Amino acid sequence: AEYSAFSALHRGVAASTIRMDISYLTEFLASVCVDGRAVADIQLHDVDAAVIAASRHLSRVTLARMCCAIRCFLRFLHQTGQIPHDLAASVASPAAPKLARPVRALPWEDVQRLL
């Protein structure tokens, strides 16, 4: 709840984006806070393991969005003193090229050239 309020107030994130981020972060926290581990005990190898596990069932674009949410959340945790080290810069996300999917329609210039 604290992170949601922070995202809305200080980062200007839309409510729908916050809901999506919270779903990603719920999955992330479920994988790193096992056996009674506290958020303050999160280490980089925990983050890497969570991202690798998520990569098995998420598309590359969705995984990149999840990594963005994790980075923002880790930065928030560090800024608020809840984790001792800033792990945000170490969260790598997969490359999601803008044109990874085929274009839906040809540009008008190409259509004219074909005709």
Side-chain angles (χ1 to χ4, degrees):
E2 185 181 346
Y3 176 70
S4 296
F6 174 85
S7 293
L9 183 64
H10 297 290
R11 293 181 49 229
V13 179
S16 59
T17 303
I18 292 172
R19 282 191 300 275
M20 182 87 63
D21 287 353
I22 294 300
S23 69
Y24 297 142
L25 294 172
T26 300
E27 178 180 345
F28 168 70
L29 289 173
S31 66
V32 297
C33 293
V34 293
D35 301 327
R37 288 185 64 196
V39 172
D41 297 329
I42 294 174
Q43 296 182 9
L44 187 56
H45 64 86
D46 300 320
V47 177
D48 289 342
V51 171
I52 290 168
S55 72
R56 294 184 186 112
H57 66 275
L58 296 176
S59 72
R60 190 170 24 172
V61 173
T62 304
L63 184 64
R65 181 68 195 112
M66 180 182 190
C67 289
C68 179
I70 292 170
R71 271 193 303 278
C72 292
F73 182 62
L74 291 173
R75 191 172 297 118
F76 165 78
L77 291 176
H78 178 66
Q79 289 175 346
T80 57
Q82 296 178 55
I83 59 174
H85 305 289
D86 187 7
L87 302 174
S90 300
V91 178
S93 61
K98 185 176 182 178
L99 297 176
R101 296 181 179 178
V103 294
R104 289 185 164 202
L106 293 173
W108 181 242
E109 296 82 26
D110 291 345
V111 172
Q112 288 176 321
R113 205 176 42 209
L114 288 171
L115 292 174

